[in-house]
Every structure is written in C-alpha cells, then in structure tokens.
Amino acid sequence: MTFSKDGFLIVRNLITSEEIERLNIHLSDRVEKGVDDGGYTVTCPQAVGSPSFYGGDLMKSFQVDLLPRIEDNSKLDLYKTYSFARTYKKDDILAMHRDRPACEVSVTIDLGGDKWPIWILDRYENPVKVDLNPGDGLLYRGCELSHWRSKFKGDKHSQVFVHYVEKGGPNAWAKDDIVK
Amino acid sequence: MKFEIIYEPIPVIIIRDLFSNEVNKKILAESISNEKEFSYAVTGGGDKEKVSEFRTNLVAFYDNMYDDRTKSILLESIDGLFSNNDEFKESMASAPYPINEFAHTNYHETQVSRYGDQGQKYNYHIDAFDSKTRRVTMVYYFNEEPKPYTGGILSVTRSPIYKGNPIDKTQKVIDIEPENNMAIIFGSHVPHRVSPTTSPSDFNKGRFSVNCWIGFR
C-alpha cells in the first residue's frame, strides 16, 4: 500500500508517546480549563456538543514538527494549512463526507480513549475499516476519498487532524488556510 | 430511473437505477460500517415480539440510529427521493391504487435488512399493522457486485395468507429477483415473502435492502 497509489496510508506510531501526552494535556486544558491558545473553539455540525478547536499555537507548532514525517510517508512536498483537535462523546456520528480543498492531504491521529474506527471509501469504491491505536495516523486524500465514522459506542475519544496541500498543486493557494 | 409496471394480479412498480451509482455504493458502504447496529429481526409487534423461524434475517433501525437524518447517506437519499424527486413523485401519484396514495402521505419508517448466510428468509406476511402509517411499501436493494448471494426472491400474491402461507393456491404469484440499485413498490397490505437467501458469512456479502413503509401520521 502506498499513498500515491491508494490515496491513503496507515502509519503506525506516527507520533511519539511524549507527543500524545502533550497533545492530550493541551486538549484537556482547552476543554476543561478554557485555556486560550490563540486558536478558537468551533461548533461543528458534524459533532454538535463535542469540544472542537481550530488551530492554536501548540497545534501549529506540532503541525510544523510533523511535516517532514508526512512528506516522507506521502512522498510529496507539502504546505501546512490548518489543524483541528476534537474530543468526541458517546453517540457521535461523523457523516460520510469529503473535505474542503485545504484538506488535500489530511492526517487524523488517534490520541486515545475508547476505540472508534474510521472508514474510508477507497478508489475502487470499497469501504475500508481503519483501526488506529494511540499515536497512529491515517494519511488520506480528504478531498477525494469519502470518509466517515459510524455511531460511537464509547464515552470519549480524542483525535487531532492536520491538513496539508501539495506545493505546486491545484490547492497550493490554501497554504496556511488564509484564503478559505 | 427505469420503470417497469406490473398491473395484474397486483400493482407493483419496479424501478431500476433508483439512485446514482455513487450514491448506491455509498449506501452499501454505510451499511457495512453499521454492522454492529444489526440484530436478528423480531415479528409480532409490541409485547408479542419474538425471534422465530418465521423471519430469520438481520435488521437495523436507521430512524432510531440517526438523530440527525442528514448524517446518513441512506436516510438523506430516501428522504430526498420522497420529498424532492419530481420524476418519482409524479410516477407514484399516477400509479394504480393503492400505490398512488403515496401522493398524500407524510410519514415513512426506514429499516435496513440483511439476508444471507444459510438460508435466511421471511415467510409470507403483510407490512400493515394499521391502516394509517403503512399504506405503501418500497423496498430498495443494494449489494456488492457481482451479486454475492443466491435466492432472496421477493414474491407477492393476491391470496390471503395464514401462518406464512397463501390460503388460495390458485392465485398467481409474482416472483421478482432483486438487483442492485433496484426498488420494488407495492401496497403495504399485499402479502409478500423473501425466499431463503444464501451468501458467504462475511457481513458485506449479504443481500441488503431498505424497507420503507410510507403512510400518514
């Protein structure tokens, strides 16, 4: 399986246990203590009532740190666009969707909690179930491949999403997500 | 959409290519991902509900699963078909009774079924428990291609039924072999059955269908 051929790739242990811990503390601080990190809280129709955060200094820094790993796995030269962090709650459903142009190369990273597989419709229109462990990442072409999660049976599940576009590609204008 | 109408002995409408290929594939994918929501069907209703040899397939109640119906590609597609698709609505409104009652309905239930394994079936039955909420039945079929199952024929009859069997053996039975992306529409009081269905045990290899019961509330 390769990113260029399949449009998605599972990368085990994409981030370290230290990074997981740092991101979880960060997410917890924002959810429970209302820590202002420069980003903003969003009410996302895909997960109403689940705390969701766009950007922020720590996430921006993390996204830059992660860039070489994503370029290495995707074999692409990339610009970062934006990041997102969310803690899902019981009964959440992520509807089947494709993402906006700033999500040309998307990465969803498991930060732990109760298991919750993500599904992706591959280039042959077959549904593929992806089970991630904490620290694992799924790289996927978010604008091309439909992806979703069925009803969450657990209590809590945290994820971060980081998005990139290809340098010189049709969505390069979305660099840093300034123009939406 | 490609329409085929059967007038006698019972009005039945068959629609092939009900949805686009893309939507059809997504409906199947969504149902496969919902495997944990499926359970063995019961019959009887209310306190008399039971699992029995009468009906042996799996079902999932999408109406209960999705508080926000737009989160389901299946529910969104069905709702859109019934409320916004002029070709479908006009065809139903001008169809023979009782299918033409569709034009006056304002309510529908949506249940997904999976038949397969070692001969899952549903003996002759009717869908209408009362005269209001279930007037017209639409069954929409979706499956992997090539078709991974055998059997699963839908049969309808004019004969009254008793304990899962037609009383009047002289009445003609209409057998319809389901196809992927096909819908079959008939009155909810029409006796019908699903013949034993055999498929690999893999969940995705089954015969999937959406049962829509359309009526008034």
Side-chain angles (χ1 to χ4, degrees):
Chain A
M1 173 177 278
T2 62
F3 186 79
S4 62
K5 175 174 168 285
D6 300 297
F8 69 100
L9 182 69
I10 301 164
V11 182
R12 301 294 177 195
N13 301 308
L14 176 66
I15 66 173
T16 65
S17 54
E18 290 77 20
E19 286 173 316
I20 296 170
E21 185 178 0
R22 184 157 29 108
L23 289 166
N24 268 323
I25 291 170
H26 168 72
L27 194 51
S28 173
D29 281 348
R30 292 182 85 166
V31 173
E32 292 160 22
K33 300 176 187 170
V35 171
D36 182 359
D37 185 36
Y40 56 87
T41 305
V42 293
T43 301
C44 184
Q46 290 176 338
V48 175
S50 291
S52 305
F53 304 98
Y54 175 100
D57 292 339
L58 186 138
M59 283 296 295
K60 281 182 184 172
S61 164
F62 168 70
Q63 187 168 17
V64 171
D65 290 346
L66 194 64
L67 179 59
R69 282 172 267 179
I70 304 306
E71 288 183 322
D72 183 47
N73 280 287
S74 65
K75 311 298 182 200
L76 296 172
D77 293 326
L78 302 168
Y79 293 126
K80 70 176 174 61
T81 57
Y82 74 99
S83 64
F84 212 79
R86 183 182 292 146
T87 297
Y88 290 96
K89 66 181 188 317
K90 185 177 174 61
D91 291 336
D92 275 344
I93 296 172
L94 189 66
M96 191 181 293
H97 69 287
R98 286 187 286 237
D99 299 320
R100 61 189 176 95
C103 309
E104 187 176 23
V105 176
S106 287
V107 189
T108 181
I109 302 170
D110 191 313
L111 294 184
D114 299 308
K115 291 284 184 189
W116 196 26
I118 184 169
W119 290 76
I120 198 158
L121 204 58
D122 73 12
R123 285 176 168 166
Y124 307 99
E125 297 181 307
N126 298 311
V128 178
K129 181 184 181 184
V130 178
D131 286 304
L132 299 176
N133 297 312
D136 294 346
L138 172 68
L139 279 62
Y140 57 101
R141 288 201 172 270
C143 316
E144 176 192 342
L145 300 177
S146 293
H147 47 283
W148 73 101
R149 293 174 191 265
S150 50
K151 187 173 263 192
F152 181 41
K153 301 293 187 186
D155 293 320
K156 183 179 175 183
H157 179 86
S158 298
Q159 289 274 332
V160 289
F161 310 86
V162 283
H163 304 287
Y164 302 89
V165 290
E166 194 172 353
K167 286 181 182 173
N171 298 319
W173 56 268
K175 177 186 176 187
D176 291 326
D177 203 27
I178 294 166
V179 181
K180 294 191 173 68
Chain B
M1 290 186 203
K2 296 170 189 160
F3 289 81
E4 178 184 341
I5 319 294
I6 299 170
Y7 294 95
E8 296 293 340
I10 302 159
V12 175
I13 295 181
I14 300 170
I15 309 176
R16 293 180 173 82
D17 298 335
L18 183 71
F19 295 123
S20 69
N21 183 54
E22 180 184 358
V23 169
N24 168 257
K25 297 280 189 191
K26 286 182 174 178
I27 287 173
L28 176 63
E30 179 180 77
S31 289
I32 290 169
S33 71
N34 280 330
E35 178 176 356
K36 288 185 177 173
E37 303 287 343
F38 283 76
S39 58
Y40 282 102
V42 295
T43 54
D47 295 339
K48 295 178 181 171
E49 282 191 350
K50 60 181 180 181
V51 177
S52 72
E53 280 303 300
F54 192 90
R55 185 185 189 187
T56 56
N57 64 297
L58 297 168
V59 292
F61 295 92
Y62 272 44
D63 292 332
N64 300 335
M65 285 162 51
Y66 291 93
D67 294 334
D68 176 356
R69 296 175 70 87
T70 64
K71 288 195 170 185
S72 163
I73 185 84
L74 185 152
L75 291 178
E76 190 174 39
S77 301
I78 295 287
D79 291 353
L81 179 75
F82 290 170
S83 60
N84 300 323
N85 189 304
D86 289 341
E87 183 182 13
F88 181 84
K89 288 168 64 180
E90 190 167 340
S91 302
M92 295 302 104
S94 54
Y97 179 84
I99 296 172
N100 59 1
E101 288 207 316
F102 175 86
H104 310 293
T105 59
N106 61 4
Y107 169 76
H108 61 270
E109 300 165 69
T110 318
Q111 181 196 71
V112 178
S113 288
R114 181 209 181 263
Y115 290 81
D117 299 343
Q118 300 298 313
Q120 290 176 339
K121 62 174 182 167
Y122 195 173
N123 289 345
Y124 274 105
H125 65 281
I126 57 173
D127 290 339
F129 292 119
D130 60 54
S131 60
K132 276 186 68 182
T133 59
R134 296 183 177 186
R135 303 296 292 176
V136 178
T137 292
M138 183 183 91
V139 189
Y140 171 68
Y141 299 94
F142 53 101
N143 53 263
E144 288 187 351
E145 291 182 299
K147 185 191 274 190
Y149 66 88
T150 56
I153 305 288
L154 180 82
S155 302
V156 296
T157 179
R158 256 177 66 175
S159 168
I161 54 172
Y162 179 65
K163 290 190 174 179
N165 293 300
I167 292 171
D168 183 354
K169 306 292 184 191
T170 66
Q171 287 295 319
K172 183 182 174 188
V173 172
I174 303 171
D175 292 329
I176 305 168
E177 184 172 349
E179 298 169 15
N180 182 37
N181 208 11
M182 171 197 272
I184 303 175
I185 301 158
F186 49 89
S188 298
H189 288 83
V190 172
H192 59 285
R193 73 162 185 176
V194 177
S195 70
T197 313
T198 303
S199 76
S201 59
D202 296 340
F203 185 75
N204 52 310
K205 301 293 183 190
R207 169 197 182 276
F208 290 90
S209 59
V210 187
N211 310 305
C212 299
W213 299 300
I214 309 156
F216 314 95
R217 191 167 70 170

